[in-house]
Amino acid sequence: MTEDLNAAMTDFNICLQINPNHSDALKNKAQTSFKLGKFEEATLDYTNLIKTDSNNPEYFTLRGICHLESKQYEKALADFNEALASKKDFAEAYFNRANTYTKLLDMKKACEDIKQSAKLGYEPAKAHINNLCNWLYGQFDTILQLPNIVALEPVWLVMVEVALPGHW
């Protein structure tokens, strides 16, 4: 698969040499860079896409995901906020902002955003809403549920250790 992705990158680069503003080639290059784990390169490509169309919330969200993967949480939040400023019902931006808030251990904001994402119909949010929000509001019946919580999002292990030292 990596070989195919690298071949695709070569093709995208050739296309961009001919037409540096070819948005489809730039977007595909950014997505391929992301799949290859080249988050800095993908971030630069999404930044160039934003320069060509600063009203596209998808580009801000995708760049925000790159920042999230690079652990640049404040930059990720800024991009998700920008996406939501131009498209208030963008469920994927709410979901990814919730993930960012989770990394920052701001569970109240994470729960608010995951609820909004689920309300807007985003299936991944629906799958995680109960565990995330129940953790926040202390609605778990037993310590035995913790492995299920941590399996969904490893950062929650940190919260378990802070909240319940010695139980993990």
Side-chain angles (χ1 to χ4, degrees):
M1 180 171 148
T2 302
E3 189 175 304
D4 292 340
L5 292 174
N6 286 325
M9 286 294 280
T10 300
D11 292 343
F12 299 139
N13 284 326
I14 291 170
C15 181
L16 290 167
Q17 286 175 351
I18 296 167
N19 180 358
N21 296 321
H22 193 289
S23 60
D24 288 337
L26 194 53
K27 182 177 178 181
N28 288 328
K29 181 178 179 281
Q31 291 171 335
T32 303
S33 294
F34 184 88
K35 289 177 185 176
L36 289 168
K38 298 178 180 181
F39 303 122
E40 189 174 320
E41 188 174 330
T43 299
L44 291 173
D45 290 336
Y46 286 123
T47 299
N48 287 332
L49 278 166
I50 289 167
K51 288 176 185 175
T52 65
D53 184 1
S54 62
N55 295 318
N56 189 328
E58 180 185 6
Y59 297 158
F60 284 99
T61 299
L62 292 170
R63 186 175 71 177
I65 293 169
C66 291
H67 288 311
L68 179 58
E69 290 294 324
S70 300
K71 298 180 172 133
Q72 297 176 340
Y73 303 128
E74 295 304 323
K75 288 182 178 181
L77 284 177
D79 277 345
F80 299 136
N81 289 338
E82 188 68 34
L84 290 166
S86 64
K87 186 176 180 186
K88 302 260 187 262
D89 63 346
F90 197 9
E92 188 175 351
Y94 281 109
F95 180 79
N96 285 291
R97 191 171 71 176
N99 286 337
T100 306
Y101 283 134
T102 300
K103 300 291 186 188
L104 294 169
L105 302 179
D106 189 338
M107 302 312 292
K108 184 176 181 186
K109 287 182 180 177
C111 183
E112 290 169 5
D113 276 357
I114 204 134
K115 282 181 177 180
Q116 183 63 26
S117 182
K119 181 179 175 183
L120 291 168
Y122 195 60
E123 291 302 320
K126 291 177 183 179
H128 295 291
I129 190 169
N130 288 333
N131 286 327
L132 175 64
C133 297
N134 285 346
W135 168 258
L136 174 64
Y137 295 111
Q139 296 174 358
F140 287 107
D141 298 328
T142 173
I143 194 98
L144 297 176
Q145 290 177 289
L146 291 175
N148 295 332
I149 303 164
V150 173
L152 291 174
E153 180 58 58
V155 75
W156 293 350
L157 177 58
V158 173
M159 295 183 312
V160 170
E161 284 298 322
V162 170
L164 304 166
H167 283 92
W168 196 255

